[in-house]
Amino acid sequence: MTTQSTVIKAPGEAAAESSSGAGRAGGADRRRSEGVVLNVFSHGFLALWAIMIVLPLIWLVLGSFKTDAQIGGSALSWPSNWHLDAFGRAWDKGIGGYFANTLVVLVFSVPLTMLFGSMAAYVLARYPFKGNRAVYYFFVSGAMFPVFLALVPLFFMVKRFDMLNTYQGLILVYIAYSMPFTIFFMHSFFRTLPTAVYEAAVIDGASDTRIFFQVMLPMAKPGLISVGIFNVLGQWNQYILPAVLMQPQSSSDPERYMLTQGLIQLQQQMGYETDLPVLFAGATIAIIPMLAVYLSFQRQIQAGLTSATLK
């Protein structure tokens, strides 16, 4: 024989449960509507931002294939003839040499920046010693110091070492300029690497140098790729440092202009001559390598930034 028990609730309790259920449903609907509005706003802002970036880029590339008359007409009109004459004229007027000078500097400055920055970040992250945080904040504070405030003492310092208008002088300045951000970015990766791996390497008899290069550095590969791309972009687009340090010091001193300086020189060489397609072609030549680098390593950059945020 089964006995069933029925719970009889007071009218006030039933009304309270009903009102609380309706309140929860209303709150869920409200949060859902707020999420939809936020989603629409964020996607709309990103679309507007993409248009603001892509349209000038398209205008620049199309201008490289146009004539002066077509450039003065409709901004986004298609060229009547697709030819590469403007690129050839820009290359002959010195863009090729400026491009080579920039590559020579970056081939040495970026790897050395990554090497020294990673080593400093690793020591500051994994080896506690007295004054560790003071040294770390000293390095990081360099990222908040405007570079133009140091141009005068930097100029006289480089001049004292007789490195004005030399590749090695600009390489050393680029390394010092990029070190604060590199240390700040890599510090978070090295701090969160598993200690068990380090201890296992120590038990196996590995030295500190071998542990860094063969164990820790490969584990920080996402961060290395991300900060490496940022350093490439920053040093490739740098103008104020080369403009101050890479000027001929005498009539016999050769010109070693970087690509950003070369674009200004190209504009000045034109004078009253109107040849805008050449200037557009030179800017396109400067943009294409960095655009290719970013698109090629886009996933790695996002993965590195996500890892740094999660850590």
Side-chain angles (χ1 to χ4, degrees), residues 79-103:
S80 57
N81 295 316
W82 293 84
H83 49 76
L84 301 176
D85 295 344
F87 290 92
R89 295 199 305 273
W91 196 267
D92 294 336
K93 288 186 177 182
I95 289 295
Y98 307 142
F99 192 94
N101 292 338
T102 307
L103 282 181

Side-chain angles (χ1 to χ4, degrees), residues 129-296:
F129 57 89
K130 187 176 181 180
N132 181 295
R133 301 305 295 173
V135 175
Y136 171 73
Y137 287 125
F138 174 76
F139 275 113
V140 173
S141 63
M144 299 179 286
F145 190 80
V147 65
F148 60 84
L149 293 180
L151 288 179
V152 175
L154 180 63
F155 174 83
F156 286 106
M157 182 180 295
V158 176
K159 183 179 181 180
R160 185 174 182 179
F161 288 100
D162 197 21
M163 288 186 177
L164 289 175
N165 198 32
T166 61
Y167 293 135
Q168 58 268 28
L170 189 61
I171 289 171
L172 292 176
V173 172
Y174 274 1
I175 294 173
Y177 171 77
S178 303
M179 280 281 284
F181 176 73
T182 304
I183 293 175
F184 172 76
F185 196 94
M186 294 302 301
H187 186 267
S188 61
F189 279 86
F190 287 124
R191 273 184 71 89
T192 54
L193 292 180
T195 308
V197 178
Y198 172 81
E199 294 174 349
V202 172
I203 293 174
D204 290 340
S207 62
D208 291 334
T209 304
R210 186 175 180 182
I211 292 174
F212 172 71
F213 284 104
Q214 296 186 2
V215 179
M216 295 300 181
L217 206 58
M219 294 175 64
K221 183 179 177 181
L224 287 172
I225 294 176
S226 299
V227 75
I229 297 302
F230 283 120
N231 284 331
V232 169
L233 294 175
Q235 296 180 14
W236 182 272
N237 296 323
Q238 181 60 238
Y239 171 73
I240 189 169
L241 291 175
V244 173
L245 304 176
M246 299 298 286
Q247 297 290 342
Q249 303 302 304
S250 63
S251 58
S252 60
D253 200 8
E255 293 182 352
R256 296 188 178 94
Y257 292 143
M258 298 295 105
L259 192 55
T260 50
Q261 293 175 276
L263 293 176
I264 302 298
Q265 291 295 318
L266 187 62
Q267 183 182 12
Q268 293 177 351
Q269 290 173 9
M270 291 171 58
Y272 293 102
E273 178 187 358
T274 304
D275 196 0
L276 291 178
V278 171
L279 190 59
F280 281 42
T284 303
I285 292 173
I287 290 173
I288 287 177
M290 294 301 99
L291 189 62
V293 168
Y294 180 79
L295 293 178
S296 300

Side-chain angles (χ1 to χ4, degrees), residues 5-18 20:
S5 60
T6 304
V7 177
I8 300 176
K9 297 182 179 180
E13 294 179 357
E17 289 187 0
S18 177
S20 63

